[in-house]
Amino acid sequence: MADENSPLESEIRRLIAAAGPMPVVEYMRLALTHPQHGYYLRRDPIGAAGDFITAPEISQMFGELIGLWMAAIWQGLGAPENVRVVELGPGRGTLMVDALRAAGIVRGFHAALVLHLVEISPALQQAQKRRLQGLDLPITWHTALDDVPGGPSIIIANEFIDALPVHQAVKRADGWHERVIDIAPDGRLAFGLARDPLPLFEQTLPSGLRQAPEGAIFEWRSDAIGLELGKRVRKDGAALILDYGPMQSGLGDTLQAVAGHSFADPLRAPGEHDLTAHVDFAALAHSAQSMGARSYGPVPQRYLLFRLGILARADALKAKASAEKAAEIELALSRLLAGGPRGMGELFKALAIADPKLGAPPGFGTPT
Ligand code: SAH
């Protein structure tokens, strides 16, 4: 018999018993954001004692370069008197603290900005308050981007989109079926397929993926976030999205659970582990473009960091540091820039979305 050790698992079992197999997207949504038992509602997942580590927690250089990016965008917008700096999923607030410290060298920027932090986790909201309280800036917290007022905006999202729930579909001879979660005969939660194929699904896929073999898996997110970002930045705004995923839309199951810095089974103990899936940057860019914004990239994260001057920044920090500290800076640099399929510099990508009149944002080339 299955172990029912997570309270959310019991609730998911009740829901499946009452309403039938649950689409993967709904399972992921509950596992991450269920109001009582969701992973992000219950704990602070980041850092050595948590489940995973993110680029801003590896080195201050990451946030600092993003801060300079933000200030350059503000200047590109004509240095408006009021600009909203919006961060989606700010974690412990580290990126923003580092960013605003670095951006402080640009005269007038601090005085113009109002900070809006979109954070669903009460524990992380508290962590952000502690971290940012020393800054003499107006800050408002929200639990959803919809609640942030419009107007000139600079939006940053690092490792946020990967936490938004994905749908999965599996190709069968009669078409694509939504992937669901059901209770197997042995009592465990198990993957299954919806009985009927999704109507007209193949036509909506990127053309290169339409001839997929049977058994192939396609993942997609609601286009709501891409549309919303596009709408917010198409006039007087820009967004920088950093996350992991491929350069082009692809096939494959990328749903993964991470706990204590190693991989776990996504169907065991929902709510106890982080669940993520790769970001489809092409789809995100497409949604934003359909709202009239222009998109740039994705580019591998290390290209962006190189172009924003991470090597010079590392040299400057090392020049002032002890030998031990300099070795730490060197190590952090190599982690951020690491190549290979799992290296942060290459697996992670950066996408910019901006008002077409802005031109290419710092670190990016021609539009896509
Ligand atoms: N950007 C941070 C944290 C990444 S972890 C960093 O780089 O360190 C993901 C963040 O998004 C966390 O702060 C999490 O609480 C938040 N989050 C996840 N899903 C969310 C949702 N649906 N709405 C708002 N915030 C969410």
Side-chain angles (χ1 to χ4, degrees):
M1 193 51 209
D3 45 6
E4 290 196 29
N5 52 5
S6 98
L8 186 57
E9 181 168 345
S10 313
E11 179 155 344
I12 287 173
R13 286 167 177 281
R14 272 198 301 280
L15 287 168
I16 293 176
M22 175 182 286
V24 166
V25 68
E26 180 63 7
Y27 176 83
M28 187 171 173
R29 194 179 66 75
L30 291 170
L32 294 178
T33 60
H34 181 282
Q36 284 95 47
H37 310 306
Y39 177 77
Y40 280 114
L41 278 298
R42 298 178 49 230
R43 64 178 88 211
D44 172 356
I46 306 165
D51 288 326
F52 55 87
I53 185 124
T54 57
E57 302 295 336
I58 290 177
S59 169
Q60 70 187 78
M61 295 184 284
F62 188 80
E64 288 170 345
L65 295 174
I66 291 175
L68 298 177
W69 189 91
M70 300 191 317
I73 294 289
W74 175 68
Q75 288 175 325
L77 292 171
E81 262 176 48
N82 288 298
V83 68
R84 302 180 208 300
V85 168
V86 182
E87 187 177 357
L88 307 179
R92 292 185 169 171
T94 309
L95 186 158
M96 199 42 81
V97 164
D98 293 336
L100 293 176
R101 187 182 58 247
I105 62 167
V106 175
R107 185 191 291 263
F109 182 53
H110 274 194
L113 71 86
V114 175
L115 200 52
H116 291 271
L117 301 179
V118 177
E119 174 57 66
I120 203 166
S121 154
L124 288 176
Q125 280 200 7
Q126 285 310 318
Q128 292 153 21
K129 279 194 182 120
R130 285 195 297 274
R131 207 63 204 281
L132 292 158
Q133 66 190 358
L135 302 172
D136 187 20
L137 288 173
I139 310 179
T140 312
W141 275 267
H142 311 269
T143 51
L145 178 57
D146 285 351
D147 302 334
V148 176
S153 301
I154 301 170
I155 306 178
I156 307 294
N158 186 58
E159 288 208 47
F160 171 77
I161 310 268
D162 67 73
L164 299 182
V166 284
H167 295 262
Q168 291 187 326
V170 181
K171 175 107 176 235
R172 286 281 176 258
D174 63 344
W176 291 85
H177 293 250
E178 181 138 25
R179 204 170 185 214
V180 294
I181 287 155
D182 204 352
I183 300 169
D186 70 0
R188 288 175 170 258
L189 295 180
F191 287 110
L193 296 181
R195 200 192 55 196
D196 297 322
L198 292 158
L200 303 176
F201 187 73
E202 186 132 308
Q203 288 90 316
T204 66
L205 292 180
S207 52
L209 304 181
R210 287 184 201 153
Q211 302 307 318
E214 262 187 59
I217 295 186
F218 181 73
E219 293 176 340
W220 76 102
R221 288 189 167 81
S222 156
D223 57 6
I225 183 71
L227 298 174
E228 182 67 24
L229 288 171
K231 190 175 83 177
R232 282 175 183 267
V233 303
R234 67 185 167 198
K235 186 172 176 300
D236 299 324
L240 179 62
I241 293 135
L242 301 132
D243 222 312
Y244 47 124
M247 294 291 278
Q248 278 152 4
S249 304
L251 296 170
D253 174 10
T254 72
L255 183 68
Q256 75 181 27
V258 170
H261 299 265
S262 24
F263 292 112
D265 180 343
L267 297 192
R268 296 283 87 82
E272 308 285 326
H273 308 150
D274 188 27
L275 279 184
T276 67
H278 282 186
V279 171
D280 183 343
F281 288 97
L284 198 57
H286 184 76
S287 302
Q289 285 162 11
S290 75
M291 297 304 283
R294 195 165 280 171
S295 76
Y296 301 84
V299 297
Q301 180 163 293
R302 64 171 158 182
Y303 286 19
L304 180 75
L305 296 177
F306 278 136
R307 290 177 188 159
L308 296 180
I310 195 165
L311 298 181
R313 183 65 191 133
D315 284 343
L317 287 173
K318 281 191 287 184
K320 288 186 290 186
S322 64
E324 192 189 338
K325 197 85 187 72
E328 280 174 26
I329 295 165
E330 199 49 46
L331 184 66
L333 185 67
S334 59
R335 284 183 76 182
L336 290 178
L337 299 179
R342 303 195 54 78
M344 257 195 160
E346 202 161 306
L347 172 61
F348 281 70
K349 310 289 187 302
L351 175 78
I353 302 170
D355 179 338
K357 76 166 184 284
L358 251 182
F364 291 90
T366 47
T368 38

